[in-house]
Amino acid sequence: MLKGKTVILGVTGSIAAYKIANLASMLVKLHCDVHVIMTRNAMNFIHPITFETLTNNRCLVDTFDRNFQYNVEHVALAKKADLVLVAPATANVIAKLTYGLADDMLTTTVLACTCKKIVAPAMNTRMYQNKIVQDNLRKLEMNDFEVIAPATGMLACQDVGEGKLPDAEVLLDYVLKEIAHEKDMEGMNVLVTAGPTQEAVDPVRYITNHSTGKMGYAVARACMLRGAKVTLVTGQTSVGKPPFVEVIQIESAREMFEAVCSRYEQQQLIIKAAAVADYRPQFVSEEKVKKSGEKLVLELERTDDILKFLGEHKKRGQFLCGFSMETENMLENSRGKLHKKNLDMIIANNLKEDGAGFGTDTNVVTIITEKKEIPLSIMSKEDAANCILDEIMVEIRGKQNGYC
């Protein structure tokens, strides 16, 4: 995911420095070229050899180290970097960066960088809340730094409050958001639906389906990584929520209909990946339904057809993509749905095909438009999501240029 990308990790003198070893390892596993620069105080908490072992690059500390491979270290590395993350960032280093002080290898290099710069403060709660520190952070943001808000919890000093360095997984999300993918969807508003709906029978029971939401969540995350502003309307699922995405939690098809219909007009792209129930109980009991015989008969009624509504009310310049889960006649049924619902694209898959269907980490889909049928081989749902988005962007650009 990060092959060909270079990230500088700046580690300063905080007890939280140990977390960056895990982050460095995560980045290397994603094929990122990772360079660590430490302040001398950071060496009191973690040894440079740790980072050198993890990254296979020399860990820099001394501005005037004559044994390093570059002639002018801070300038050469700054030119190479795609992103610099200072984490943990102490109040001291934050102050230096705010006022352009460059008295060590880290501050010198960061000031020479023209790439995206992120700082993740980590310190005692009272220090973090100090007006001077807060003013410095605001000034950094005014100068194109991004500041990651610290987590709240018990600190090394046993105080409880904000000031903890976020976990490595959170820091990784910030890195990926910036450099994992070309920002070809920058400025687009995208709405994605995902997961199952639950249609109540009584306060205890409901009707649902086997959808896990994995495909829709993969699509939402891929849109975010490509620069879109994403709203995810989702049913109940155990999948972790994608970062930097507005998540609207719903239960029933009616709730999803209302959530989508109240937001669809502002969207340039809508991708309906949710498995919405076609029917719901006509009558919902206020009390638990007791066993009263051999059979229980439920009268069902149709739910709101969200995709049909979107197709009938599609705005000029809006692109509408649906999903079609079939068990037979996949292409014929999906193409019929494409026309009937006034869709621009539909993603079809067969529940019975190996590697496709509910609950898997892979999918086998066919992308269908008015003029195309593009079958994809089995791949991860993340890769499938990006293949779908690639084709959507081709179609959108074609429509904008007037040849589709």
Side-chain angles (χ1 to χ4, degrees):
M1 180 178 283
L2 295 178
K3 188 174 183 179
K5 300 294 184 179
T6 298
V7 170
I8 297 173
L9 296 178
V11 183
T12 71
S14 164
I15 185 63
Y18 74 91
K19 292 185 178 181
I20 306 306
N22 191 21
L23 176 61
S25 177
M26 291 175 175
L27 290 168
V28 170
K29 288 176 181 178
L30 294 173
H31 308 290
C32 183
D33 182 23
V34 181
H35 294 261
V36 178
I37 305 177
M38 298 177 67
T39 64
R40 291 201 172 275
N41 284 339
M43 295 171 64
N44 292 316
F45 297 99
I46 188 168
H47 199 281
I49 292 177
T50 301
F51 291 116
E52 291 174 349
T53 303
L54 292 170
T55 67
N56 201 33
N57 286 316
R58 182 163 182 170
C59 182
L60 303 181
V61 179
D62 187 355
T63 309
F64 301 104
D65 183 354
R66 299 183 62 192
N67 295 316
F68 188 59
Q69 59 182 319
Y70 296 106
N71 292 324
V72 185
E73 299 99 325
H74 66 282
V75 174
L77 188 55
K79 286 181 179 179
K80 184 181 180 183
D82 295 290
L83 180 142
V84 56
L85 169 63
V86 182
T90 59
N92 182 53
V93 167
I94 289 169
K96 289 181 181 180
L97 295 176
T98 300
Y99 292 99
L101 300 179
D103 63 353
D104 60 13
M105 187 62 177
L106 175 58
T107 52
T108 302
T109 303
V110 174
L111 289 174
C113 285
T114 57
C115 62
K116 176 73 176 185
K117 296 181 280 288
I118 305 175
V119 295
M123 63 195 75
N124 172 268
T125 301
R126 292 180 180 84
M127 289 180 67
Y128 176 71
Q129 294 175 345
N130 185 288
K131 291 182 179 179
I132 296 173
V133 174
Q134 289 298 309
D135 187 51
N136 287 342
L137 291 172
R138 283 190 292 269
K139 288 177 180 177
L140 283 180
E141 290 178 322
M142 292 172 59
N143 286 288
D144 298 325
F145 280 75
E146 183 172 2
V147 176
I148 301 176
T152 298
M154 180 173 286
L155 308 178
C157 60
Q158 306 304 307
D159 285 351
V160 176
E162 54 186 346
K164 286 173 60 72
L165 183 70
D167 290 338
E169 291 80 5
V170 174
L171 299 177
L172 178 63
D173 284 336
Y174 276 86
V175 174
L176 295 177
K177 176 171 69 79
E178 293 300 327
I179 63 172
H181 203 283
E182 176 190 357
K183 300 299 182 278
D184 58 343
M185 298 178 72
E186 190 82 56
M188 289 183 66
N189 291 333
V190 179
L191 187 147
V192 179
T193 68
T197 61
Q198 299 175 353
E199 311 305 323
V201 174
D202 60 24
V204 178
R205 306 176 181 90
Y206 55 80
I207 299 172
T208 190
N209 56 62
H210 296 293
S211 174
T212 60
K214 288 184 177 181
M215 189 69 236
Y217 277 52
V219 169
R221 185 171 184 270
C223 289
M224 176 274 294
L225 292 176
R226 296 169 79 135
K229 180 181 179 182
V230 183
T231 300
L232 174 64
V233 181
T234 175
Q236 299 293 322
T237 173
S238 61
V239 182
K241 302 297 186 291
F244 314 111
V245 168
E246 180 187 8
V247 178
I248 310 298
Q249 190 74 54
I250 60 90
E251 290 187 359
S252 67
R254 165 53 66 170
E255 290 178 356
M256 182 171 282
F257 178 82
E258 293 173 350
V260 170
C261 292
S262 64
R263 294 169 173 83
Y264 83 97
E265 292 187 272
Q266 294 77 41
Q267 313 301 321
Q268 283 84 51
L269 170 61
I270 301 174
I271 303 175
K272 285 286 284 90
V276 184
D278 294 320
Y279 294 90
R280 63 180 167 229
Q282 186 172 359
F283 304 103
V284 180
S285 175
E286 294 184 0
E287 306 296 338
K288 179 183 176 182
V289 176
K290 297 294 185 179
K291 289 183 288 187
S292 60
E294 292 297 322
K295 295 182 179 180
L296 172 66
V297 177
L298 287 178
E299 294 186 29
L300 303 178
E301 62 182 7
R302 287 296 303 270
T303 57
D304 304 286
D305 193 327
I306 304 173
L307 205 51
K308 180 181 178 182
F309 173 89
L310 294 172
E312 291 174 346
H313 297 82
K314 187 163 58 175
K315 300 295 181 181
R316 181 178 177 83
Q318 200 171 60
F319 193 95
L320 182 56
C321 175
F323 272 68
S324 175
M325 172 72 78
E326 302 291 341
T327 59
E328 59 181 354
N329 303 322
M330 182 187 74
L331 296 178
E332 179 183 349
N333 291 340
S334 299
R335 188 165 286 281
K337 188 175 180 180
L338 176 81
H339 294 143
K340 184 178 180 181
K341 304 292 178 70
N342 191 28
L343 309 181
D344 298 288
M345 178 182 291
I346 193 163
I347 311 303
N349 62 354
N350 190 326
L351 180 62
K352 296 181 178 180
E353 188 166 359
D354 290 341
F358 297 123
T360 65
D361 292 325
T362 60
N363 211 344
V364 184
V365 304
T366 298
I367 301 171
I368 302 174
T369 65
E370 183 65 35
K371 298 179 180 179
K372 301 177 183 177
E373 286 183 6
I374 306 173
L376 302 181
S377 59
I378 184 172
M379 61 182 69
S380 71
K381 289 186 173 176
E382 289 74 20
D383 288 341
N386 275 303
C387 288
I388 291 166
L389 293 177
D390 288 342
E391 194 59 34
I392 286 175
M393 294 308 296
V394 168
E395 294 289 317
I396 288 176
R397 286 191 289 265
K399 291 178 183 293
Q400 291 172 343
N401 294 328
Y403 58 79
C404 283

